[in-house]
Amino acid sequence: MSTVVSYTKAAIDTLIAAAKARGNHTGTQTAATISDLTEVSQDLVAAMIVAGTNVTKTYDDTAGTLTLAATLTAATEGVFLSTYTAGTGTATANTTAIQNAVNAAKTANKPLINDLGAISVSINGRIDMIGDGFKARFNGMQFTQTVNTAAGVRFGGQNQDIDGLTVYFSANPASTDTAANAFEWANSLLSKYSNLRGLNTARGLYMLQSAPAIGSSTTNTVFSCVFMNIEINGWAISAMDFKSWPSGGASSTGNAWINIYFHNNFLGSPIVCSDAVVIMRDWDESSFVQFNVEWCKPSGDAMFMQQCRNLLNCTNE
């Protein structure tokens, strides 16, 4: 004997709803049995991620991919050399473009950033990096100075931080080319100069012996600065000529030299230079950690120091 039970549509709907309710189920339901699990998961992830400042989000629903891209901008990170087409023109154009980029970074009070890669850029004039607080990351860029009548770079000011630059003189300076200095300093204070290279120069490092364009106009000194990871290879006069100016005036004080390497064999064999390899005058209270001088043929003294006091030499070769 069969019993026929009749249900109203509302009752059937209630039963179906109860059967579908996850809370009424026990055990584990495998992912393979859930319809559109992948699609739902992708949509949820895409919805949860929100693009922040300088970040873009691209969700391709068909392909099932989510792409995030971040963009550095000069307005937030620094001033980029590429903005000024530095390195893409003639030596004259490059000199102007690089100087404009330096000036823009100083005005914006932001670091100058080389985003062009470790490339060589021809210049035919000195690049002035003069100014308090100026910072630059050159990331291995080389300035190829095509004339012997101008230095490569001039530094000066307080709280500077400059890193990763090479200056190479392509015109083979002679001992008479007294302007062909890779790096020049004018009244620097509480600054850091690191990972600098001077190649085939008249002088590698040089302190101006005249009125600087920043700070005191009657003295040129360097106070409380750090010089780190500096190489000079090839010079006609001196690797380093750091004389405080004028003679007998204020001394340069409280500086640290770390991992310095001078060698005068740029063309393969040691060559003769016209002056001492290292010249220092009126320097006090400075330390030297790994100061290496080799492969040189000075015409006179290898090192000349005058009126220098309390210099701490940790290692010197």
Side-chain angles (χ1 to χ4, degrees), residues 117-131:
I119 63 173
S120 176
V121 177
S122 296
I123 60 174
N124 61 4
R126 186 185 72 233
I127 305 299
D128 286 338
M129 301 183 191
I130 304 290

Side-chain angles (χ1 to χ4, degrees), residues 26-267:
T26 60
T28 301
Q29 184 174 358
T30 61
T33 65
I34 302 176
S35 177
D36 292 332
L37 176 62
T38 299
E39 175 66 20
V40 171
S41 300
Q42 291 173 346
D43 291 345
L44 287 173
V45 171
M48 290 172 59
I49 296 177
V50 178
T53 304
N54 296 327
V55 176
T56 58
K57 181 184 75 171
T58 303
Y59 176 46
D60 188 329
D61 190 32
T62 301
T65 59
L66 176 63
T67 303
L68 299 177
T71 303
L72 297 180
T73 64
T76 57
E77 301 298 332
V79 173
F80 295 141
L81 279 175
S82 62
T83 305
Y84 294 81
T85 63
T88 60
T90 64
T92 299
N94 289 337
T95 304
T96 300
I98 294 170
Q99 190 62 64
N100 288 342
V102 169
N103 296 342
K106 291 193 297 183
T107 299
N109 194 28
K110 296 182 181 297
L112 178 65
I113 301 173
N114 167 31
D115 58 330
L116 298 171
I119 63 173
S120 176
V121 177
S122 296
I123 60 174
N124 61 4
R126 186 185 72 233
I127 305 299
D128 286 338
M129 301 183 191
I130 304 290
D132 294 342
F134 177 71
K135 295 176 175 58
R137 293 294 177 267
F138 285 100
N139 301 321
M141 174 173 275
Q142 174 177 293
F143 291 172
T144 297
Q145 179 60 278
T146 58
V147 300
N148 291 335
T149 55
V153 177
R154 180 173 293 178
F155 304 125
Q158 60 181 332
N159 299 115
Q160 294 194 317
D161 187 350
I162 299 169
D163 180 86
L165 178 64
T166 295
V167 173
Y168 161 64
F169 282 79
S170 62
N172 299 317
S175 58
T176 54
D177 295 316
T178 55
N181 307 310
F183 303 103
E184 297 181 340
W185 274 266
N187 282 329
S188 294
L189 169 67
L190 284 170
S191 297
K192 178 184 176 184
Y193 305 96
S194 57
N195 297 303
L196 304 180
R197 301 176 72 218
L199 306 177
N200 200 35
T201 73
R203 300 186 188 94
L205 316 178
Y206 181 68
M207 284 180 65
L208 295 180
Q209 297 298 293
S210 58
I214 189 170
S216 171
S217 61
T218 59
T219 61
N220 182 22
T221 55
V222 176
F223 283 97
S224 299
C225 291
V226 174
F227 302 86
M228 184 168 65
N229 297 341
I230 295 179
E231 177 189 9
I232 305 299
N233 182 7
W235 60 86
I237 304 174
S238 296
M240 171 178 166
D241 188 342
F242 259 40
K243 297 192 291 284
S244 300
W245 178 83
S247 177
S251 296
S252 295
T253 304
N255 299 284
W257 298 82
I258 304 170
N259 196 31
I260 312 301
Y261 185 34
F262 298 156
H263 55 120
N264 203 7
N265 59 338
F266 181 76
L267 300 177

Side-chain angles (χ1 to χ4, degrees), residues 290-311:
Q290 190 54 38
F291 198 99
N292 192 357
V293 179
E294 62 183 13
W295 299 102
C296 308
K297 287 186 177 180
S299 58
D301 296 327
M303 302 184 73
F304 177 81
M305 294 187 176
Q306 182 181 34
Q307 299 175 159
C308 296
R309 297 161 289 271
N310 300 324
L311 304 183

